[in-house]
Structures are given as structure tokens and as C-alpha cells.
């Protein structure tokens, strides 16, 4: 009865290779067993020895051989083959583990993703295509299964990065007695129909954007602070240390016309002042002459009273004042100019 209780693991890899393993150290301690198998039926069976043993601490713990038919019989014996320790007969087609899906393609349209692969050459009706996906915000994989060899799913956010993986599964119990699936196809990363190397790239791009914006804001803030400090410093500097006037702007002609030659500039300035005084003295004589002429006319015409108001420029021998004086009428006239007033009565002038 213990022979029937021996636990073995049987895998038919895509109906190409068989692998049968057992717990050698627990089931057969201290004994290195042998393995033989046959795919023949009926009385004329041809038993073959295991071509490739799987070892566990130098003990035979399994056998790997080629799949040659739908019906398999195997036997585990002692080391010299004289005693059978375990035997079993089974349908190899019920232990098939499919290969990974080949040529997997992704089609992304709006919020729908469709995944497809090439159809296997054997027993397609027993296969299902499983799609698993998750975004960077999901902790667990989301799963979707469909007939081989296309599966679609909706509700994908184009702003998120998703991880996808697919595999093929065998139907249980119609095709397999064991729930075998293929290994997962290589995981891929997609975002809005664009294949990425990793979803970390999306996180890095967002983090880089945040870093750049933060740096720009920091720079702008520093510039604003420096501008405020500069204005404050200028105000403080003006209040503590008043600016010394630049003689360049006060004495423009000294620097522009004479290139800073003070002696040349002062000589020309003195000459201009003397000439100006002489020009101003000439109208003064005209005023006196006109006054004498007016006195003679007044002797002839009788006593007359004239009030003149001259500006300060007339007192300073301004030619304009002399010109105005020449235009004065000889009759009693009252002329107003801002400045000094002269009252003329016969031969007497009174300055007010």
C-alpha cells in the first residue's frame, strides 16, 4: 500500500518533454533508485531507462525524457533494478504545461488595451490567454482571461503607467488534471500606447519636473530678496553717506569744451564776463541820453509827470529795459514793470 502513497510530480512540457520528480530522501532514504518508462501499450512494451536524472544531494530525485505518445507508464526500482518500488500509468496529455506565448502584441486605443499572441500548433481549444496588469498606484495584479489568443480590457487611464504580463493556461478538468500555466512572458511597461523601459521613468520624469520648478521658484525668490535688500541698502547709503555731486555735470563746458583745463576755462569765462558787462553798459548810456532828451522836451512842453516801473534787469543795465525806455511816450504815462518804480516830474526823478 505504501507504493500507492508515493507522491510524484508529473509535468509534460508542451507535449515535448516529460519530467517526473519524487522526494528521494524522504521516500527512499539511503537508497539511490532507478527509473524506467514506456509509451507503448499492450503486451509488447519496451522499457527504457532514464536518459537524464535529476539529483538531490547526489540521490536520483527525478527523470527528464522525451514525450513519445499520449499514454505513459513508468516504474521506480531499487538501485540494481531487481525490486519495483513504485509504478504508475497515465495520460501524458492531461499533464501538459504550455510554453510562453509568442510574439505578444499590444494595441492601445483610448482606454482599451488588446493583447494578442501567436496561436500554438497543438490543442488551441484547451488554452486560455491570461492578462495581468497593474499601475504604479495598485498593490495587486488585476487579471483578465480570454480564449486564445487575444484578450482585451477597458478602463485604462492614459495618464498612468501600467505593467503588463501574459501567459497561457490549460483548462481544468477538461484538458488537464493539474492546473498548469505557462511561465509569464517578459513584463512590459506602457503609458498611453507608448512602450517604456520602466514605470520608474515616468516617476523620474515627474520628479525631475518638480525639481526643476522648485529650483526656478527658489531662484526667483532669491532674486526678489536680493532686489529688496539692494533697494534698502541704497536708501541706507543715501541717508548715511549722501552722494557727492560730480563737478562734471555742474561745469559741463569745463570738461566738454576744455577737457578739464581749468586755467583755460577761467580765462575764457572772465573774458565773457567783461564783455557782458560792456554790452550791458551801452544801453545805460542810451537811457541817460533818452532821459536828457526827454528833460529838454519837458522844459518846452511844461511840467509833466511820468511814472516808470523797471524790472530788476533794467537796473542791471538790461538791453531790453533800454529798449522799453526808448518806446515810452513823452506824455504823462504810467508804465508797469515788475521791479523798481521811477517817478519823473519835470527835472526830478524819484525811484520807488
Amino acid at each position: 500500500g505504501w507504493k500507492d502513497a508515493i507522491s510524484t510530480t508529473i509535468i509534460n512540457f508542451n507535449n515535448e518533454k516529460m519530467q517526473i520528480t519524487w522526494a528521494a530522501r524522504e521516500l527512499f532514504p539511503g537508497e539511490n533508485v532507478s527509473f524506467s518508462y514506456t509509451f507503448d501499450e499492450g503486451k509488447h512494451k519496451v522499457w527504457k531507462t532514464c536518459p537524464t536524472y535529476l539529483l538531490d544531494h547526489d540521490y536520483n530525485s527525478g527523470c527528464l525524457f522525451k514525450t513519445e505518445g499520449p499514454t505513459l507508464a513508468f516504474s521506480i526500482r531499487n538501485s540494481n533494478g531487481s525490486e519495483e518500488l513504485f509504478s504508475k500509468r497515465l495520460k501524458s496529455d492531461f499533464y501538459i504545461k504550455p510554453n510562453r506565448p509568442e510574439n505578444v502584441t499590444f494595441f492601445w486605443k483610448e482606454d482599451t488595451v488588446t493583447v494578442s499572441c501567436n496561436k500554438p500548433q497543438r490543442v488551441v481549444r484547451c488554452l486560455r490567454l491570461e492578462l495581468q496588469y497593474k499601475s504604479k498606484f495598485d498593490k495587486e495584479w488585476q487579471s483578465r482571461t480570454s480564449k486564445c489568443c487575444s484578450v482585451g480590457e477597458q478602463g485604462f487611464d492614459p495618464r498612468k503607467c501600467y505593467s503588463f504580463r501574459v501567459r497561457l493556461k490549460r483548462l481544468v478538468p477538461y484538458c488537464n488534471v493539474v492546473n498548469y500555466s505557462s511561465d509569464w512572458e517578459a513584463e512590459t511597461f506602457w503609458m498611453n500606447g507608448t512602450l517604456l523601459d520602466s514605470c520608474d521613468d515616468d516617476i523620474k520624469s515627474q520628479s525631475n519636473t518638480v525639481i526643476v520648478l522648485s529650483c526656478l521658484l527658489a531662484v526667483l525668490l532669491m532674486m526678489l530678496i536680493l532686489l529688496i535688500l539692494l533697494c534698502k541698502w541704497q536708501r541706507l547709503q543715501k541717508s548715511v553717506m549722501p552722494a557727492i555731486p560730480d563737478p562734471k555735470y555742474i561745469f559741463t563746458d569745463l570738461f566738454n569744451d576744455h577737457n578739464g583745463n581749468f586755467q583755460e576755462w577761467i580765462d575764457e569765462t572772465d573774458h565773457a564776463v567783461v564783455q557782458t558787462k560792456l554790452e550791458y553798459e551801452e544801453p545805460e548810456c542810451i537811457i541817460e541820453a533818452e532821459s536828457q532828451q526827454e528833460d529838454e522836451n519837458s522844459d518846452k512842453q511844461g511840467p509833466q509827470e511820468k511814472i516808470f516801473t523797471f524790472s530788476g534787469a533794467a537796473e542791471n543795465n538790461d538791453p531790453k529795459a533800454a529798449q522799453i525806455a526808448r518806446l515810452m511816450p513823452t506824455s504823462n504815462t504810467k508804465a508797469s514793470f515788475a521791479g523798481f518804480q521811477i517817478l519823473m516830474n519835470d527835472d526830478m526823478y524819484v525811484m520807488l
Side-chain angles (χ1 to χ4, degrees):
W2 65 272
K3 293 181 180 180
D4 296 334
I6 292 177
S7 176
T8 57
T9 301
I10 304 167
I11 303 175
N12 183 0
F13 292 103
N14 201 41
N15 211 22
E16 297 173 357
K17 288 185 177 181
M18 295 288 299
Q19 176 181 289
I20 300 176
T21 57
W22 56 87
R25 300 173 64 185
E26 289 79 5
L27 297 175
F28 314 108
E31 186 172 1
N32 205 1
V33 297
S34 60
F35 181 87
S36 59
Y37 67 96
T38 182
F39 285 93
D40 297 330
E41 299 182 11
K43 297 180 180 180
H44 304 285
K45 297 179 180 179
V46 179
W47 291 88
K48 299 179 181 179
T49 59
C50 178
T52 305
Y53 279 105
L54 305 177
L55 303 178
D56 179 14
H57 293 84
D58 296 332
Y59 285 93
N60 296 335
S61 61
C63 182
L64 183 65
F65 52 96
K66 184 179 179 180
T67 303
E68 298 175 1
T71 303
L72 170 67
F74 65 89
S75 174
I76 298 177
R77 295 175 176 271
N78 57 7
S79 58
N80 56 15
S82 60
E83 181 184 359
E84 186 178 76
L85 303 177
F86 178 72
S87 63
K88 190 172 183 176
R89 186 172 178 272
L90 53 90
K91 290 289 186 179
S92 60
D93 291 345
F94 288 161
Y95 295 87
I96 293 178
K97 179 179 181 179
N99 288 339
R100 293 178 178 178
E102 297 179 352
N103 295 330
V104 178
T105 59
F106 286 80
F107 179 71
W108 190 306
K109 184 178 180 180
E110 296 179 353
D111 67 337
T112 303
V113 175
T114 303
V115 183
S116 58
C117 66
N118 291 348
K119 290 184 178 182
Q121 297 178 354
R122 301 176 182 177
V123 200
V124 178
R125 60 181 179 82
C126 289
L127 295 175
R128 295 293 181 267
L129 182 62
E130 181 181 9
L131 168 67
Q132 286 192 347
Y133 60 91
K134 67 176 181 179
S135 70
K136 58 185 178 181
F137 303 103
D138 299 327
K139 296 181 179 179
E140 302 293 335
W141 288 95
Q142 308 295 320
S143 184
R144 173 79 174 178
T145 304
S146 182
K147 292 182 179 180
C148 186
C149 294
S150 179
V151 57
E153 183 67 7
Q154 296 179 340
F156 291 95
D157 189 346
R159 297 170 298 179
K160 295 181 181 179
C161 178
Y162 291 89
S163 304
F164 291 94
R165 62 182 185 180
V166 292
R167 66 179 178 180
L168 291 173
K169 298 178 64 175
R170 290 274 294 187
L171 287 176
V172 178
Y174 306 103
C175 299
N176 262 32
V177 295
V178 182
N179 189 12
Y180 281 147
S181 301
S182 71
D183 295 333
W184 290 105
E185 181 62 16
E187 186 175 349
T188 56
F189 307 93
W190 293 81
M191 181 177 179
N192 195 20
T194 303
L195 179 63
L196 303 177
D197 294 333
S198 172
C199 282
D200 295 336
D201 297 341
D202 179 41
I203 298 174
K204 289 179 180 179
S205 62
Q206 293 182 358
S207 62
N208 291 336
T209 304
V210 172
I211 291 173
V212 171
L213 292 177
S214 300
C215 292
L216 289 176
L217 289 176
V219 170
L220 292 176
L221 182 60
M222 291 180 64
M223 291 177 65
L224 180 61
I225 293 174
L226 290 175
L227 185 61
I228 294 173
L229 291 177
L230 181 61
C231 294
K232 295 289 186 181
W233 170 251
Q234 288 180 350
R235 292 181 181 179
L236 179 62
Q237 189 176 18
K238 288 181 180 179
S239 61
V240 176
M241 295 178 293
I244 300 174
D246 191 350
K248 179 179 180 180
Y249 301 100
I250 299 176
F251 305 99
T252 306
D253 53 350
L254 171 62
F255 293 95
N256 292 341
D257 301 337
H258 303 282
N259 295 325
N261 191 331
F262 181 78
Q263 187 62 43
E264 180 181 344
W265 174 76
I266 196 66
D267 292 342
E268 183 176 340
T269 303
D270 290 343
H271 177 71
V273 170
V274 172
Q275 184 177 1
T276 303
K277 288 182 179 180
L278 292 176
E279 290 177 357
Y280 285 163
E281 288 175 358
E282 183 178 356
E284 191 174 24
C285 296
I286 295 173
I287 292 173
E288 292 178 355
E290 292 291 332
S291 298
Q292 291 176 2
Q293 184 179 359
E294 289 176 358
D295 290 343
E296 293 177 357
N297 293 332
S298 63
D299 292 339
K300 294 178 181 180
Q301 296 177 1
Q304 293 182 353
E305 181 180 333
K306 295 183 181 180
I307 298 175
F308 297 93
T309 302
F310 293 90
S311 64
E315 185 186 11
N316 293 328
N317 301 324
D318 192 341
K320 292 183 180 179
Q323 184 178 2
I324 293 171
R326 286 196 297 271
L327 296 176
M328 284 297 176
T330 57
S331 61
N332 291 336
T333 305
K334 185 177 181 179
S336 297
F337 298 95
F340 301 99
Q341 293 183 350
I342 298 177
L343 178 61
M344 182 191 297
N345 189 359
D346 295 337
D347 296 334
M348 186 170 64
Y349 295 86
V350 180
M351 181 177 291
L352 302 179

